Each structure stands twice: as structure tokens, then as C-alpha cells.
Amino acid sequence: MADDLKKGLEGVLVAESDLSSIDGDAGRLIYRGYAIEDLARGASYEEVLYLLWNGHLPSEDELASFTEALTEERTVSDDVLATMERLADADEQPMAALRTAVSMFSATEPETDADPENLDATLRKGRRITAKIPTALAAFERYRLDEEPVDPDPDLGLAANFLYMLTGEQPDDIAAETFDQALILHADHGLNASTFTSMVIGSTMADIYSAVTGGISALSGPLHGGANQDVMEVLIEIDESDLDHREWVEQATDEGRRIPGFGHRVYNVKDPRAKILEERSKELAENGDDKWYNYTTTIEQYLSEEKGLVEKGIAPNVDFYSGSVYYQLGIPIDMYTPIFAMSRAGGWIAHVLEYQDDNRLIRPRARYTGPEDQEFVPIAER
């Protein structure tokens, strides 16, 4: 059994965690025992961060102190802003810009010399990273538009503040609540590739800046973090075609095209996060343009009823609805994955802290399949 090869570590148990649990057959996701539906509909992103990092939901006083601490850490250095401007001018990809920004945050870290085993210091560093990511990301987008960054508003929560810094206008309640909910839904999801990457880095007792930077790098891959962007690009293609949206999806599937946003490595039924975002998409449609909601629901209905994908365990995942929700909020398409990272950073930090509390260097092995007993020939004789 020890020599069985498990490509991609599929099904291999490598850690125990109190943070999140997924039941792929029942379509159930919990954070520390709380159903994702309850948290998304009843809590704020800050409350969920507190839950992941501290093990329990905060009281009103605890939340006020926690939120104040996050708010105080939102400002980024002039050097980070200058770098975001240079990267925007160079037409850098947003995920690469975010990776660079997080790595630079450590230059102004006041506890840079803290003992790696001081998990309280690591948590405070993680709080600073989480607070600063929205500011750097919004500044990068503003520079791409040849506009000046917008300073953080201390009176706004993390989600509403990001939308404000992105557009320069305070979001309405529906937009702020929708985006806050989206951040909650993406905060953690077991040992996915980016979370595991962060844990591997954390297991070496590298600093949390390195772990989060590694998580961002893993999430940037198209097999992990880019599906919601792919979904929106398909919806735009539908919108620009001469076909009715149902005719488009029929033709596309007949031609063998794969529709992004369907299927998941863990879920065999509809992703519970997709159900929640579908509700938000509908609410946004009722207060604006309803075509994106109509496109997604038509595609889901056709692939479910006519193609039987759900019966085959290929159901809508969170990306299927998050793409159109972000688009309805006016967020640029290539910012979708960085926003995913902005949310998931809280989960990466929680997993690193949890693993380092009972740390063991992660060191798997590979089965050697190369040649044996090669005879070495000096370079002059080759």
C-alpha cells in the first residue's frame, strides 16, 4: 500500500483540520462546524475571518476590536504603490501584480524578526496581509485606468471598501452585501492546490508572506483559479453571437465544446456556494440587467435536463455563478482570480497556523523510474 502511486495525491490523507469540511455527495460545506449557507447569509467576511483564525464566532466587542485592527492595517507603502503603477504601465497580469505586492508587504513588517514558532506574531502578520491585499489590488486597477488610487475608507467593511477603492464610489447595499457574501464563500475549501501549497511552505517554518505568495502562485494556474473568468468570457461570447442563448449552448455542446463552470474535483452535485451566488445573481438582475442571469440559468437547465450532466456528477460549481455576479458588480474580468485570492488568503493563513501548531515538514517521495548503473564518461571522451 505504501508504494501505491497516487497521482495528484488524490485521496491521500495528509493532515487533520478543524477548519472546513466538504461532503461532495450531499453538497455540503462547513467552516468550523457552521453551514456555509448560515455564514453567507448571516455573517460578515470579517466574522468569518475571525472564526477561521480564532476557532469561534466573535462577540460584538471582539468583532469591533478585530475590525478596527484590520482597518488600521489597510494602508500600503509608497513603494508598493509605485510598483503597482509600474506593473500596470507594463501591462502585467493582475495575479502577478498581486504576487509581487504581497511579497513586498514584508519590507514594512514591524515584526519581521519574530520567532517563526511564535504563532501569535504569525497571525498578526497574516492580519496585515489580509488588510493590505484589497488596497494594493484596487490601486493596480486604478493605475491601469490611468487614475489615482483611492484611499481606504475606515468607515467601510473590507468588502465595501474594496469596491469603493476600485470605483471611487461607495457601493449600494446590495452590491456590498453581494461582494461580502462572495468573499465568505471563497474563504476556505479544504486542501485545494493553493491551500496545500501554502501549507507545504509553512511546514518549512518560512514566514507567512512566503506562504501566501506561494498560494497566490498556485491559484494563478488555469486549472485552479481561472474558471470564473472562463465562464464570463463564454457568456460574453453568447451575448455577442447571432444565436439565442439556448441555441448557442445547444450548438456548442453538439460541437463538443466544454462549458466552463461545470464539474468539481470534490462535488458530485451542485456546489452549495453556486446555489447562494445564483440567488445573488437573481437579486442583482432584478435591480439591473437580467441577461447574464438568464444566460446562466438557461445553460444550467439545458446541461442538466437535456444533457444529464448532473446525473453524471457534473454539476455547476461556484465559478459558474461567481463570474456573472462579479460582472454585474462592474469588476473587470481579469480581476476575478485576484479577488479569489483576496478572499482565500484568510483560509491559507488559517491552515498555515493550524499546521504549524503541530508542525512536521511535508516531504513526500517519488518512485524512481530512470535508468540504473549508468557508466560515467569524462567530458573529453563524450
Side-chain angles (χ1 to χ4, degrees):
M1 182 67 179
D3 290 327
D4 289 348
L5 180 63
K6 297 287 188 179
K7 293 283 286 186
L9 297 180
E10 186 166 1
V12 175
L13 190 65
V14 299
E16 293 181 324
S17 177
D18 293 341
L19 294 169
S20 64
S21 176
I22 307 161
D23 186 332
D25 294 324
R28 187 166 184 255
L29 170 64
I30 62 173
Y31 294 169
R32 291 197 182 273
Y34 293 95
I36 192 63
E37 294 84 356
D38 293 338
L39 292 173
R41 294 174 180 134
S44 65
Y45 181 61
E46 285 86 346
E47 287 177 81
V48 169
L49 281 179
Y50 190 98
L51 171 67
L52 291 174
W53 293 352
N54 295 283
H56 62 90
L57 287 169
S59 67
E60 289 185 354
D61 288 344
E62 287 172 331
L63 179 61
S65 297
F66 181 71
T67 301
E68 181 181 1
L70 277 170
T71 301
E72 290 175 351
E73 302 286 1
R74 287 176 176 172
T75 303
V76 301
S77 70
D78 290 341
D79 287 339
V80 169
L81 291 177
T83 299
M84 293 300 98
E85 185 173 18
R86 286 195 294 272
L87 293 176
D89 290 343
D91 201 26
E92 179 62 282
Q93 294 296 312
M95 279 296 277
L98 178 59
R99 180 191 65 215
T100 300
V102 172
S103 188
M104 287 186 69
F105 291 165
S106 66
T108 55
E109 168 55 54
E111 296 183 88
T112 187
D113 295 328
D115 187 329
E117 296 185 3
N118 183 345
L119 299 188
D120 290 334
T122 298
L123 178 55
R124 290 191 292 272
K125 294 177 183 179
R127 186 185 69 213
R128 295 180 187 111
I129 293 170
T130 304
K132 294 179 190 302
I133 284 177
T135 308
L137 197 55
F140 175 76
E141 176 58 21
R142 299 285 293 182
Y143 284 130
R144 290 204 298 179
L145 298 173
D146 293 324
E147 297 177 352
E148 287 299 306
V150 176
D151 291 334
D153 185 337
D155 294 327
L156 296 177
L158 189 146
N161 182 62
F162 175 74
L163 294 178
Y164 167 68
M165 291 189 295
L166 195 69
T167 65
E169 299 179 1
Q170 289 202 12
D172 61 34
D173 290 344
I174 293 177
E177 290 170 6
T178 298
F179 191 62
D180 188 78
Q181 203 168 58
L183 295 181
I184 290 171
L185 297 176
H186 287 89
D188 195 44
H189 208 246
L191 294 195
N192 52 81
S194 56
T195 299
F196 187 62
T197 299
S198 298
M199 283 177 55
V200 171
I201 295 171
S203 80
T204 72
M205 300 309 292
D207 68 18
I208 195 67
Y209 291 93
S210 299
V212 173
T213 302
I216 292 169
S217 299
L219 189 65
S220 68
L223 294 184
H224 187 12
N228 52 10
Q229 179 174 337
D230 295 338
V231 171
M232 197 60 227
E233 289 172 350
V234 163
L235 296 180
I236 291 174
E237 183 180 344
I238 293 173
D239 191 52
E240 294 176 347
S241 76
D242 296 327
L243 299 175
D244 173 84
H245 48 285
R246 184 178 177 86
E247 293 174 338
W248 187 95
V249 71
E250 290 178 359
Q251 180 175 302
T253 53
D254 288 344
E255 293 173 352
R257 284 189 61 176
R258 178 184 174 277
I259 306 300
F262 269 71
H264 194 278
R265 188 73 171 264
V266 180
Y267 293 112
N268 299 314
V269 296
K270 188 170 182 176
D271 188 328
R273 301 168 299 172
K275 294 179 181 179
I276 297 168
L277 286 177
E278 181 183 359
E279 296 172 3
R280 301 306 302 202
S281 179
K282 182 179 181 180
E283 185 173 359
L284 290 169
E286 291 171 348
N287 290 274
D289 191 346
D290 64 357
K291 65 182 177 182
W292 307 113
Y293 175 74
N294 291 336
Y295 291 168
T296 51
T297 53
T298 296
I299 291 172
E300 179 180 353
Q301 182 181 30
Y302 178 77
L303 294 180
S304 299
E305 297 178 2
E306 300 297 328
K307 294 296 183 178
L309 291 190
V310 175
E311 293 180 359
K312 299 174 184 177
I314 305 173
N317 58 45
V318 67
D319 298 309
F320 187 66
Y321 280 98
S322 66
S324 59
V325 165
Y326 291 157
Y327 199 80
Q328 289 168 283
L329 293 175
I331 297 171
I333 294 175
D334 63 356
M335 293 288 280
Y336 293 0
T337 306
I339 286 170
F340 190 165
M342 184 170 75
S343 169
R344 185 59 59 84
W348 296 333
I349 292 162
H351 278 275
V352 169
L353 288 165
E354 182 180 57
Y355 193 82
Q356 287 183 339
D357 190 44
D358 186 22
N359 193 67
R360 182 170 177 79
L361 178 67
I362 296 175
R363 175 52 169 97
R365 64 187 183 92
R367 180 185 296 144
Y368 179 69
T369 58
E372 301 279 357
D373 302 322
Q374 293 274 62
E375 181 179 350
F376 176 78
V377 178
I379 191 169
E381 299 175 20
R382 294 177 206 158

